[in-house]
Amino acid sequence: MITTFAGESKHFLDDKNRLSIPAKFRRWGDGEDPENAFFITKGSDPCLVAYPEPEWEIFTEKLKKLSQFKKKNRAFIRTWSRNSVRLKCDKQGRVLIPQEHLDFAGIKKEVIIIGALNYLELWDPETLAKHQESQIPLDDDYYEDLADIL
Amino acid sequence: MITTFAGESKHFLDDKNRLSIPAKFRRWGDGEDPENAFFITKGSDPCLVAYPEPEWEIFTEKLKKLSQFKKKNRAFIRTWSRNSVRLKCDKQGRVLIPQEHLDFAGIKKEVIIIGALNYLELWDPETLAKHQESQIPLDDDYYEDLADIL
DNA sequence: GATTTCTCCCCACATCTACCCACAATTATA
DNA sequence: TATAATTGTGGGTAGATGTGGGGAGAAATC
């Protein structure tokens, strides 16, 4: 069982591109996961997405079921896999994020870390603000649909 | 099973932004919840809303079922989760409320804590008074609709 | 094989958190 | 009513946390 991530923090990259993972996001489940590694990918939104290793594996197992005889499946699997990097926290609870991933999300120094239930999102503050502004507000139809499951 | 919260109290933030939870709201259910943590979120009204952890989890578990490959789902989860903070009572029954949340609700020193059945509302007294004044009175139609379920 | 780059350990330290103790005021109990 | 327990509030302090930087070893490059 994975701990549910919630809340947000602001941290800073240091000169070595290391990012402290907030302590509350650093441990999960029953603590029996010895490594507590994350997989970081490029998100569908302009941010990085960090999955605890078990979550990433669950998702990846689903992907394996896609037929590789469909061009779009191959493309998706390829992209997913290329963009995934396994990152282990150092003894101070930091991960070293590849420059290419930082560039994708426009992260320079400041990082907003959002706990989004079973994954984390890493945002550049400005990019996040702009994204929130340009966001189409959730409309009544959406809430109608939500109401069906909530 | 969650105890039903009812009634209201007035407490004061101390210099460290700690708020005593009224004793009657501090324990719930069968007392078998070892941590007795709250999740505090920004309300739809200008106040903070505090859910006992089990209540928050019920809702959140449903949210986890939403696919993250729909943009609107991501937006909804992000908003919900960003504003949520898990707060554990210290041994004296107090929680440390983040400054940002206090600012959202305009809380400075005095706090009105309202038991609202399965959650608590935290109000700045002035904000609450103003909100009550500007409140649209409940009309007959509303009571007609209520009658359907009551 | 030698040199350079990268990774990750360690140490350091300011800040923040949450423990503990304390105590007055209130409520419960005998 | 007297006594005991609970509650709300204040404050000191040890430990946790976030950040910075040196340097040993691994990996990559020449």
Side-chain angles (χ1 to χ4, degrees):
Chain A
M1 189 55 183
I2 300 290
T3 309
T4 302
F5 302 123
E8 109 176 29
S9 339
K10 180 160 60 165
H11 281 182
F12 293 85
L13 279 185
D14 65 20
D15 295 341
K16 300 176 176 178
N17 281 356
R18 292 179 299 190
L19 176 70
S20 266
I21 301 295
K24 62 181 170 182
F25 297 154
R26 211 178 285 164
R27 292 171 288 272
W28 53 71
D30 46 15
E32 289 309 309
D33 202 337
E35 299 246 272
N36 276 66
F38 287 93
F39 274 86
I40 295 208
T41 71
K42 299 176 187 173
S44 307
D45 295 312
C47 65
L48 299 179
V49 181
Y51 300 87
E53 188 158 29
E55 285 287 338
W56 188 86
E57 282 170 352
I58 289 168
F59 182 74
T60 300
E61 283 306 313
K62 288 182 188 166
L63 283 190
K64 284 187 186 169
K65 300 210 172 73
L66 295 179
S67 164
Q68 52 175 298
F69 293 102
K70 286 194 176 175
K71 196 183 182 73
K72 288 186 180 176
N73 287 348
R74 289 197 303 277
F76 180 74
I77 289 171
R78 186 179 307 125
T79 305
W80 172 260
S81 184
R82 293 183 81 185
N83 293 338
S84 294
V85 195
R86 184 176 189 273
L87 300 181
K88 234 182 66 191
C89 290
D90 69 15
K91 288 284 164 69
Q92 276 71 253
R94 297 173 289 195
V95 292
L96 182 71
I97 304 181
Q99 187 62 48
E100 201 211 316
H101 282 71
L102 295 175
D103 292 344
F104 169 82
I107 292 172
K108 290 161 288 280
K109 182 83 183 151
E110 235 171 308
V111 186
I112 301 214
I113 303 154
I114 301 178
L117 308 189
N118 45 2
Y119 56 92
L120 306 179
E121 290 184 345
L122 312 182
W123 286 86
D124 169 65
E126 271 185 52
T127 310
L128 175 58
K130 277 183 200 154
H131 186 264
Q132 293 292 77
E133 278 171 31
S134 68
Q135 180 85 41
I136 301 156
L138 300 174
D139 50 19
D140 288 348
D141 284 351
Y142 178 73
Y143 286 107
E144 290 291 327
D145 291 349
L146 262 192
D148 292 342
I149 65 150
L150 300 183
Chain B
M1 189 52 185
I2 300 292
T3 310
T4 300
F5 302 125
E8 110 175 31
S9 335
K10 179 160 61 165
H11 280 180
F12 293 86
L13 280 185
D14 66 19
D15 294 341
K16 299 177 177 179
N17 281 356
R18 292 179 299 191
L19 175 70
S20 266
I21 301 295
K24 61 180 171 181
F25 296 154
R26 207 177 290 165
R27 290 172 290 272
W28 51 70
D30 46 15
E32 287 309 308
D33 201 338
E35 301 246 272
N36 275 68
F38 286 93
F39 274 86
I40 295 208
T41 71
K42 299 175 187 173
S44 305
D45 295 314
C47 66
L48 300 178
V49 180
Y51 300 89
E53 187 159 32
E55 285 285 340
W56 191 86
E57 277 173 350
I58 289 169
F59 182 71
T60 300
E61 283 305 314
K62 290 177 187 167
L63 282 191
K64 276 191 186 173
K65 300 213 172 72
L66 297 177
S67 166
Q68 51 173 295
F69 288 93
K70 286 195 178 176
K71 200 180 181 70
K72 287 182 180 179
N73 288 345
R74 289 196 303 275
F76 183 74
I77 290 173
R78 185 178 303 130
T79 304
W80 170 256
S81 183
R82 287 182 87 180
N83 296 333
S84 297
V85 197
R86 183 177 190 271
L87 300 182
K88 231 182 68 192
C89 290
D90 69 15
K91 290 284 163 68
Q92 276 72 254
R94 296 172 290 194
V95 291
L96 181 72
I97 305 183
Q99 187 63 49
E100 204 211 311
H101 282 71
L102 295 175
D103 293 344
F104 170 82
I107 292 172
K108 290 160 289 280
K109 182 82 183 152
E110 233 171 309
V111 186
I112 301 210
I113 303 155
I114 302 177
L117 307 189
N118 50 355
Y119 57 91
L120 306 177
E121 288 184 349
L122 312 182
W123 286 87
D124 169 64
E126 270 186 55
T127 310
L128 176 58
K130 277 182 200 155
H131 189 263
Q132 292 293 80
E133 280 171 28
S134 67
Q135 181 84 41
I136 301 156
L138 301 175
D139 52 18
D140 288 348
D141 284 351
Y142 177 74
Y143 286 107
E144 289 293 326
D145 290 349
L146 258 194
D148 292 343
I149 64 153
L150 296 184

